[in-house]
């Protein structure tokens, strides 16, 4: 029995009144579900996102949002089997589903962790350092990222119904933007199940995630200047979206991830007996067969030196002969079906176009043998390798979105880079080489044309995630034909959804705006040492100014002997005198920092639990024997941890000499108990 897919809109599940379009099992041709968005009030969805989802999300700090993403990742992990069971209907083998489902959940985990580690427990992000805009220090500037009061519309392709949604949702959610997700209709049933699981979990605030199952209708008409559209799909649809009035004139930000004719280059240094040769062949076969080649990052163009083409084709043929094709329910099948019969027709058409200047050298264009499955009802296609004639234009133009790659030959590195560039911009390229010079020349030649470049050799192969895997911590996207968009890349993906603004103000008001103490702002020193204050009592701007301490030659000698750092500038008066920067013995920078700690710490047990590092340490003026140094310490930022009894306190430390010159500046990073005496043993 088929099910009508539902949209999750304005806080309830919506079912279209018509019969919708049937969505067929990719391998059996049976109806899986029907889809329609007829009658769906998309304007109400946008209103709901703006009025309910956005405000709810922006009232949370980045750390609170990150905690929700982590809970969501755990919830979906607990329901993975349901997702796997349905995913098979898209034609995916369990290896394919792992890429989609586990890859999507992994992206949530990754953003949850980055959100806590790299974003503040606040709602505003600071970018770069403080800019002094006036001589007196009363007028300063700083860049901040703030959340937009808009909605993030995410339109996805059919090939990754789970990962495609989650990789867009996670950064937008962290950025404080509610999402309206529109999956490709063909595989929308798997996205619908994922959204259903998420909504049922109750983890996300209402209105932060809505689902549009079926055609987008007038959704884009509803968007305005604070909204964005992140699109993954064909260049054809991208063109339509780029011309939409909301994008052209309405200020809607459009990000595009489109077609890509990715290449893999076999380095000219690689001989058939080298490990890199096998790695190259294996990489091409993996990319041709995972998801039956329906990956935006798959290798479409195989670039090899002219002398190696025959050997490469032979090796590809041998490896591809072991790839069993058929119904993914059969555990012996290594490659499942394309998403639909229509999709298979598209790939066959693309192969015909390629054949204008290329011949099929591996595989049977007429069909090929299946391990099981009905080729009339299931969208099966066995892998095909073509070899292009010199000068062929089609491989740089036509994207066969299936298990098809074309071998092209190059003469030298320059011509290899030139061929790669003829793809007019791609998501990813790989070069397989063990030669450092080849690696450098090729990577620098490819970089302007690609969003990601993988250099593969015997040393990184074992740990390599491969040519085709976008990773949450690295950017995904590419210039030109690939759409010009950029997604993921860790926190970059979050900040891309926010507005960067240059704020100019006095130090006090900038402190108020940013939640971080600004040099020049008011400080508070009292009889109570700040190390005696718990997080509950500590305030931004609290500080201490130490008494001076004179640094003696005996201190420097002692430190050199004690630590073994007998560098001549600290121990050899004649050599130090000849040093153009010092002109005599100077104290070790680390001695200065150590003495400074001795000047500012309050030693008794108290709420300060640990010092976990320093940031931005700079030695600005040499310290010589007889100089008197003093330190001022100021609470710069307080970040309570969501799931612990303590938080992080960042202190600005400025060490000065007897003339008031700064000799060292840095931030001291400490962990401080939320209350003291602690009500319970600290835990995390
Ligand atoms: P598609 O036909 O362009 O569809 C992509 C999405 O756009 C679907 O959700 C589709 O919805 C929607 N859409 C179509 N027309 C629209 C319109 N006028 N307004 C708003 N939305 C509209 O692409 P596809 O066939 O699903 O995907 C295959 C292509 O995607 C390949 O070319 C591949 O290279 C590319 N791709 C790129 C990446 C990447 O990261 N760069 C990743 C995967 C795939 P319906 O399904 O309801 O029509």
């Amino acid at each position: 029995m088929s099910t009508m897919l539902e949209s999750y809109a304005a806080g309830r599940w919506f079912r279209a009144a018509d019969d919708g379009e049937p969505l067929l099992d990719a391998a059996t041709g049976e109806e899986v579900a029907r889809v329609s968005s007829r009658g769906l009030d998309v304007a109400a969805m946008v209103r709901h996102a703006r009025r309910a989802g956005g405000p709810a999300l922006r009232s949370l700090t980045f750390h609170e949002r990150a905690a929700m993403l982590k809970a969501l990742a755990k919830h979906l992990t607990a329901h993975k089997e349901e997702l796997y069971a349905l995913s098979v209907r898209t034609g995916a083998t369990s290896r394919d589903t792992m890429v989609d489902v586990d890859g999507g959940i992994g992206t949530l985990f990754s953003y949850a962790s980055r959100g806590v580690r790299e974003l503040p427990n606040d709602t505003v992000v600071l970018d770069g350092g403080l800019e002094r805009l006036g001589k007196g220090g009363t007028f300063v500037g700083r860049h901040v990222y703030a959340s937009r009061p808009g909605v993030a519309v995410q339109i996805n392709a059919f090939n990754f119904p789970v990962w495609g949604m989650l990789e867009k949702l996670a950064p937008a959610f962290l950025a404080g933007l509610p999402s309206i997700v529109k999956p490709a209709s063909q595989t929308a049933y798997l996205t619908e199940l994922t959204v259903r699981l998420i909504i049922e979990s109750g983890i996300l605030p209402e209105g932060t995630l809505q689902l549009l199952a079926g055609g987008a209708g007038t959704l884009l008409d509803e968007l305005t200047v604070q909204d964005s559209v992140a699109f993954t799909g064909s260049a054809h649809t991208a063109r339509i979206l780029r011309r939409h009035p909301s994008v052209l004139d309405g200020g809607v930000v459009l990000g595009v991830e489109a077609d890509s004719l990715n290449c893999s280059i076999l380095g000219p240094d690689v001989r058939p007996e080298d490990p890199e040769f096998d790695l190259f062949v294996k990489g091409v076969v993996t990319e041709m067969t995972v998801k039956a080649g329906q990956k935006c990052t798959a290798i479409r163009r195989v670039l090899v030196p002219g002398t190696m083409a025959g050997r490469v084709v032979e090796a590809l043929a041998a490896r591809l002969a072991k790839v069993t094709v058929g119904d993914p329910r059969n555990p012996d099948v290594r490659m499942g079906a394309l998403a639909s019969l229509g999709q298979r027709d598209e790939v066959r058409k693309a192969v015909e176009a390629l054949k204008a200047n290329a011949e099929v050298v591996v595989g049977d264009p007429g069909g090929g043998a299946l391990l099981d499955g009905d080729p009339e009802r299931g969208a099966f296609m066995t892998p095909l390798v073509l070899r292009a004639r010199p000068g062929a234009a089609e491989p740089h133009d036509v994207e066969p979105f299936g298990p098809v790659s074309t071998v092209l030959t190059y003469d030298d590195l320059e011509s290899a880079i030139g061929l790669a560039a003829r793809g007019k911009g791609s998501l990813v390229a790989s070069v397989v080489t063990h030669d450092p010079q080849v690696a450098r020349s090729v990577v620098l030649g490819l970089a302007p044309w690609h969003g990601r470049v993988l250099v593969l050799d015997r040393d990184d192969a074992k740990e390599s995630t491969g040519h085709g895997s976008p990773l949450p911590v690295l950017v995904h996207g590419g210039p030109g034909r690939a759409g010009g968009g950029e997604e993921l890349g860790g926190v970059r993906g979050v900040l891309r959804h926010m507005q960067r603004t240059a704020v100019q103000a006095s130090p006090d008001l900038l402190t108020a705006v940013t939640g971080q103490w600004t040099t020049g702002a008011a400080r508070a020193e009292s009889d109570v040492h700040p190390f005696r204050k718990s997080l509950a009592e500590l305030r931004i701007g609290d500080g201490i100014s130490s008494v001076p301490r004179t640094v003696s030659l005996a201190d420097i000698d002692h430190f050199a002997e004690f630590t073994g750092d007998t560098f001549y500038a600290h121990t050899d008066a004649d050599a130090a005198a000849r040093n153009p920067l010092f002109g005599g013995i100077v104290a070790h920078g680390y001695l200065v920092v150590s003495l400074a700690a001795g000047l500012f710490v309050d030693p008794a047990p108290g709420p300060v639990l640990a010092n976990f590092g320093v940031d931005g340490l700079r030695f600005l003026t040499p310290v010589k024997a007889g100089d008197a140094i003093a330190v001022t310490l100021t609470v710069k930022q307080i970040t309570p941890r969501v799931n612990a009894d303590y938080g992080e306190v960042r202190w600005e430390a400025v060490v000065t000499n007897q003339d008031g010159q700064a000799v060292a500046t840095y931030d001291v990073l400490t962990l401080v108990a939320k209350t003291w005496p602690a009500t319970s043993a600290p835990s995390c």
Side-chain angles (χ1 to χ4, degrees), residues 3 25-26 29 48 91 125 167 192 196 230 300 388 414 422 521 603 606 652:
T3 322
D25 184 299
H48 187 60
V125 184
E167 65 98 11
E192 197 234 43
R196 217 170 258 285
R300 306 286 175 215
E414 208 178 316
R422 286 186 67 187
E652 183 190 89

Side-chain angles (χ1 to χ4, degrees), residues 68-78 104-106 108-109 112 203:
M68 287 175 178
L69 290 182
K70 187 169 179 183
L72 201 59
K74 288 183 177 170
H75 179 74
L76 291 178
T77 303
I105 294 173
L108 287 181
F109 273 123
I203 292 168

Side-chain angles (χ1 to χ4, degrees), residues 254-435:
L254 172 68
V256 172
E257 304 285 335
D259 307 9
S260 181
L261 292 163
N262 317 292
C263 67
S264 185
I265 301 178
L266 179 68
D269 54 300
V270 179
R271 293 157 305 163
E273 57 276 20
D274 292 335
E276 282 73 22
F277 184 84
D278 279 345
L279 291 171
F280 178 76
V281 172
K282 199 170 157 206
V284 173
V285 170
T286 300
E287 293 306 319
M288 287 180 71
T289 55
V290 172
K291 291 288 294 183
Q294 300 169 108
K295 272 176 36 178
C296 52
T297 50
I299 298 168
R300 306 286 175 215
R301 298 177 298 154
V302 180
L303 308 188
V304 302
T307 51
M308 296 293 280
R311 298 295 292 265
V312 168
V313 169
E314 262 173 43
L316 287 172
R319 237 177 215 281
L320 285 168
K322 295 184 204 146
V323 175
T324 46
V325 181
D327 191 325
R329 290 163 187 83
N330 181 337
D332 294 327
V333 161
R334 268 194 58 200
M335 192 178 98
L338 301 187
S340 66
L341 293 174
Q343 201 54 38
R344 186 175 67 183
D345 289 344
E346 290 295 316
V347 181
R348 285 179 174 164
K349 258 192 256 166
V351 171
E352 283 311 307
L354 288 170
K355 276 163 65 180
N357 277 302
E359 56 175 333
V360 175
V361 288
V362 181
D364 178 357
L370 302 182
L371 193 68
D372 72 8
D374 176 352
E376 298 303 317
R377 295 174 62 81
F380 303 110
M381 179 167 185
T382 52
L384 294 178
V385 177
L386 291 95
R387 182 165 172 183
R389 287 191 265 284
E394 295 78 6
H396 311 294
D397 228 23
V398 178
E399 184 200 34
F401 205 60
V404 182
S405 289
T406 303
V407 175
L408 298 108
T409 56
Y410 69 82
D411 301 325
D412 52 23
L413 281 187
E414 208 178 316
S415 73
I417 293 165
L419 283 174
R422 286 186 67 187
K424 301 180 199 71
S426 304
L427 294 171
V428 53
S430 49
V431 52
V432 186
T433 177
H434 195 49
D435 181 325

Side-chain angles (χ1 to χ4, degrees), residues 155-160 182-186 214-216 220 231-235 237 240-241 257-260 296 343 399 401 427 476 482:
I155 303 177
N156 283 312
F158 65 81
N159 53 345
F160 288 109
K182 191 238 156 310
S185 293
Q186 178 56 44
L220 261 76
F231 168 77
T232 296
S234 63
T237 309
I240 296 173
L241 297 181
E257 304 285 335
D259 307 9
S260 181
C296 52
Q343 201 54 38
E399 184 200 34
F401 205 60
L427 294 171
H476 171 61

